[in-house]
Each structure stands twice: as structure tokens, then as C-alpha cells.
Amino acid sequence: PLANPPPDRPALPVDTIKAVQTALRTRGFDVGPVDGRMGPQTRQAIRSFQGQQAMTRDGHPDRGLLRALGIEQSEDSDHVE
């Protein structure tokens, strides 16, 4: 699994990552702490969700994943480096 987003995928705002973590937790996935960080538990939860949705299981929260979770990305939030 990749630790950092590929160069063509910018890092997500902390608030967006927290929203992903919360949405996955609500659906029964173990994301670890809801802290806005893309840790190994969050990545594994994303991969599991992606597998259930017949998406590419890469562990990265792309637009398709955000859409599937009902999350809209804010343009003005702080980004994770």
C-alpha cells in the first residue's frame, strides 16, 4: 500500500479525512481514531469499503470514494501535507 497519495492526487483537507473516517465508522469499518490522519487502520477501512463497492482497492480516498460515502470536499479547508 502507498503511504502517500500519488503525485496526481493532492492531499485531502483534515476535515475531509475526518468525514471519511466518520462515514466509514458509521458503516461498521474500524478506522482507528477519527483524527484526520490517513493511518494504516483508515487505509485498511478504505480498502475494505472499496472492495465492497467494486472499486479499486488502493486505500486512497479519491472522488469516487467521497461520492460513495456522500462526502463533499471543501475547497477552503486546511490540507494535509
Side-chain angles (χ1 to χ4, degrees):
L2 303 171
N4 296 309
D8 60 339
R9 292 187 191 172
L12 291 176
V14 171
D15 289 345
T16 302
I17 296 171
K18 285 182 181 179
V20 167
Q21 290 171 323
T22 300
L24 288 168
R25 178 174 279 173
T26 299
R27 288 165 173 79
F29 295 94
D30 179 12
V31 297
V34 176
D35 56 8
R37 295 177 184 225
M38 289 297 301
Q41 287 176 283
T42 298
R43 290 217 186 269
Q44 182 55 48
I46 289 172
R47 281 198 257 340
S48 296
F49 179 77
Q50 288 170 326
Q52 281 188 353
Q53 300 297 310
M55 302 168 92
T56 301
R57 293 181 57 152
D58 62 6
H60 288 284
D62 59 15
R63 287 187 181 143
L65 178 90
L66 297 177
R67 202 171 18 252
L69 291 171
I71 297 169
E72 293 186 27
Q73 185 176 350
S74 169
E75 295 290 327
D76 59 348
S77 298
D78 294 328
H79 283 74
V80 175
E81 295 296 325

